[in-house]
Amino acid sequence: MAKIGILGFGSYLPSRIMTNDDWAVLLDTDDEWITSRSGIKERRIAAADESTVDLAAAAAEKALADAGITAADLDEIIVATDTPEVYFPDTASYLQHRLGAGEVTAFDLGGSGCAGFVLALDVAKARVHAVSKKVLVVGVEIATRIMNWSDRATAVLFGDAAGAVVIGAGDGVKAELLTFDSGTDGRYADILTLETGGTRRPFSLDEAQRGGHREFTMNGREVFRQAVKRMSAAAENVLDRAGRLKDEIALVIPHQANLRIIDAVRNKLGLGEEQVYVNVDRYGNTGSATVPVAMAEAHQEGRIKPGDLVVLTAFGAGFHWSAAALQF
Ligand code: ACO
């Protein structure tokens, strides 16, 4: 079997930059608190006329160009997002039409939060192995449109972005997908959630009036603890499965939620600062987009070279986690 991996990378960041000082005008917060607690200095905000499919399409076009193919060459599209274009159908249906792809299978992997993109890579590898030749995988989020702009404990952490890759097999593979470790611990499902709008708590006038549609619930400390534990364990597991050692890692690209989480994962893995990619300072937490955006940037900046062993590791609502070992 030919090796399966990434044929092309792409990302898109909305142009509007919102700094911590901009937040301090709107909320009782300041640059010192946000920087010391999260490492975030600024984030991007989607324009009022941009929706999820716009960001997804912009990143996807770049990934297709980088892979040297067109949308007509795709056999499948997977979109990882928790901030979809509409309630239903899925964003992938809109994206298929927007890109001009054929009548290929297109579906969302929704609800897995910030782990969504790496989980979608795991699925895509299996699909390439079994049925499809070329799969477009997108991680996209416009979190700033569903979050509560009055809640300083959550609002300052998020930003908007999209990242994409094309997965395929054979000679054009730039990064082979070696191994994955994905899992879920549903005991924590209520710890990081947006409940309103589901069947448990449907939309109603009362809900809207009390702001329930933007009631983002997060136990920050528990998320922090579990994220560190699961992201570091998953990274170790993919190395074990690939028969590789920590010493061989050229770069870890972790989910970018918080610099303190990233540092704690780095310490647990015993890695140096130069071995871990960080851009949370510039974009904040962009959910399922953090890993593909960081991977596209690291590749473009020359932080990843042919021959490098790279580990992706992500964690999100559910709780879900997913890690991957890649051979560039
Ligand atoms: N500015 C100023 N003060 C604030 C702000 C703010 N933006 N937000 C909260 N505070 C205050 C609170 O009101 C509280 O004040 P009090 O002590 O008087 O009640 C205090 O700061 C809270 O401080 P801590 O709870 O000690 O804050 P902590 O150091 O735990 O940091 C944080 C909070 C950043 C949320 C941290 O728990 C965290 O990063 N957790 C991970 C959560 C995360 O990354 N979620 C992203 C989504 S999930 C994912 O991507 C995996």
Side-chain angles (χ1 to χ4, degrees), residues 27-30 33-34 37-38 114 151-154 156-158 192 216 218-225 227 231 255-258 260-261 285 287 315-317:
L27 293 174
D28 181 16
T29 189
D30 54 48
W33 193 96
I34 301 171
R37 296 306 214 281
S38 71
C114 312
D151 178 13
R152 65 179 184 172
T154 53
V156 300
L157 303 174
F158 295 97
L192 185 56
F216 187 98
M218 175 177 83
N219 177 337
R221 292 193 173 182
E222 195 57 43
V223 171
F224 194 112
R225 266 194 293 274
M231 283 166 70
H255 167 50
Q256 311 277 316
N258 181 310
R260 291 189 300 153
I261 293 178
N285 183 349
F315 177 85

Side-chain angles (χ1 to χ4, degrees), residues 61-302:
E61 298 278 13
K62 289 186 192 159
L64 290 169
D66 191 41
I69 63 168
T70 69
D73 299 316
L74 292 173
D75 301 294
E76 192 156 324
I77 297 171
I78 308 175
V79 177
T81 187
D82 277 349
T83 50
E85 183 75 7
V86 296
Y87 193 87
F88 71 82
D90 45 17
T91 305
S93 299
Y94 289 96
L95 183 63
Q96 181 218 59
H97 182 62
R98 171 74 68 87
L99 293 173
E103 293 177 356
V104 299
T105 310
F107 59 94
D108 280 11
L109 202 156
S112 36
C114 312
F117 174 80
V118 186
L119 203 51
L121 282 186
D122 194 348
V123 173
K125 181 180 177 184
R127 295 289 290 172
V128 170
H129 190 71
V131 258
S132 294
K133 291 198 187 74
K134 291 190 175 66
V135 181
L136 173 69
V137 181
V138 180
V140 57
E141 229 70 75
I142 304 190
T144 64
R145 209 156 288 162
I146 62 159
M147 72 192 191
N148 181 353
W149 281 62
S150 311
D151 178 13
R152 65 179 184 172
T154 53
V156 300
L157 303 174
F158 295 97
D160 305 330
V165 293
V166 178
I167 306 297
D171 288 344
V173 168
K174 293 171 181 162
E176 183 180 2
L177 294 167
L178 299 175
T179 50
F180 284 90
D181 181 53
S182 302
T184 303
D185 187 344
R187 285 176 301 171
Y188 293 96
D190 276 332
I191 276 189
L192 185 56
T193 179
L194 178 58
E195 216 178 308
T196 301
T199 55
R200 182 196 291 182
R201 195 193 282 184
F203 286 118
S204 67
L205 186 56
D206 281 353
E207 278 295 318
Q209 278 170 340
R210 64 168 203 87
H213 58 302
R214 285 172 181 264
E215 198 174 57
F216 187 98
T217 309
M218 175 177 83
N219 177 337
R221 292 193 173 182
E222 195 57 43
V223 171
F224 194 112
R225 266 194 293 274
Q226 292 294 324
V228 173
K229 178 177 150 189
R230 297 299 191 178
M231 283 166 70
S232 44
E236 284 177 340
N237 290 343
V238 291
L239 284 177
D240 275 356
R241 285 176 195 175
R244 308 291 286 267
L245 301 170
K246 279 186 217 166
D247 296 351
E248 297 177 65
I249 296 177
L251 194 66
V252 171
I253 300 180
H255 167 50
Q256 311 277 316
N258 181 310
L259 186 58
R260 291 189 300 153
I261 293 178
I262 294 172
D263 281 342
V265 170
R266 180 172 62 73
N267 285 331
K268 272 200 153 213
L269 294 174
L271 301 174
E273 281 189 13
E274 70 293 346
Q275 286 172 288
V276 178
Y277 193 81
V278 175
N279 65 9
V280 70
D281 50 325
R282 286 178 285 136
Y283 306 135
N285 183 349
T286 61
S288 62
T290 71
V291 170
V293 167
M295 191 163 49
E297 273 193 2
H299 191 241
Q300 203 170 15
E301 290 166 2

